Amino acid sequence: MSLLTVRQAATRLGVGYSTLKHWIYEGRVRTRLTSGGHHRIADTEVDRLLAPSTAAARGAEPERTGLIVAISGRNQLRGYVDEVRVEGLLAQVRLRIGDQTLTAVITRDAVEELKLRRGDEALAIVKSTEVMVAREAAPAPAPATATSRAGRRRARRRVRR
């Protein structure tokens, strides 16, 4: 049996570090304390948290915990909700991810089910069939001094003489 740090266990469970610490303080997660007072979580305890409940095994409706166990999307961006605008059936959610912002349009039902509010931590999962990469064009060199059509004719006449 191996012991995991709180951060390692949180990653394996798919939750944030602070969420797992909160569960530990609530007594929902069994831990062992090191001599330095740090929590360590047995891998069997992580497996227990990942296992389906006995009610779900009997065919009853599983209780929603809000815990994402695993997801196939690899482009996951963790951030904070900056703004939620709901209008009709759709909602615009703006996430702050580092110094960048990401705007997503999702259904009103999804916003209500997720209970998204400004300041909440959220995860943006990007699933796309193609990615485009672009570069800005280098600035064009300054054109040589422009001359008028008449000026070019005069220059040609001088060359012919």
Side-chain angles (χ1 to χ4, degrees):
M1 169 178 53
S2 67
L3 295 176
L4 304 170
T5 66
V6 175
R7 191 163 308 282
Q8 291 169 330
T11 300
R12 199 161 147 204
L13 289 167
V15 298
Y17 173 84
S18 58
T19 300
L20 187 53
K21 286 293 274 193
H22 189 71
W23 291 351
I24 291 168
Y25 296 141
E26 286 178 344
R28 293 170 55 186
V29 179
R30 293 181 289 250
T31 65
R32 297 185 183 169
L33 284 175
T34 66
S35 58
H38 298 283
H39 291 275
R40 295 292 181 260
I41 303 167
D43 54 356
T44 55
E45 178 69 2
V46 172
D47 292 340
R48 181 187 71 81
L49 293 167
L50 290 173
S53 69
T54 54
R58 287 188 306 236
E61 182 67 27
E63 179 185 335
R64 287 190 169 212
T65 62
L67 175 69
I68 297 174
V69 175
I71 192 159
S72 63
R74 294 292 168 244
N75 299 323
Q76 301 175 23
L77 306 168
R78 190 173 301 277
Y80 295 93
V81 177
D82 245 1
E83 179 181 21
V84 177
R85 271 199 244 160
V86 179
E87 204 171 301
L89 296 174
L90 296 176
Q92 178 179 310
V93 179
R94 189 171 24 185
L95 296 177
R96 183 172 27 87
I97 301 166
D99 61 347
Q100 303 287 315
T101 49
L102 179 136
T103 303
V105 176
I106 62 176
T107 64
R108 173 190 209 117
D109 290 344
V111 167
E112 290 170 0
E113 186 176 324
L114 293 169
K115 298 177 179 117
L116 288 177
R117 302 282 179 264
R118 184 179 182 165
D120 289 349
E121 187 174 331
L123 190 65
I125 302 165
V126 180
K127 185 71 175 172
S128 177
T129 56
E130 60 185 73
V131 175
M132 299 171 98
V133 177
R135 284 181 29 170
E136 291 183 7
T145 55
T147 58
S148 67
R149 190 177 286 170
R152 286 192 300 258
R153 269 189 245 133
R154 280 191 297 256
R156 271 185 263 150
R157 280 187 209 132
R158 276 187 240 135
V159 171
R160 286 185 200 146
R161 292 184 191 168

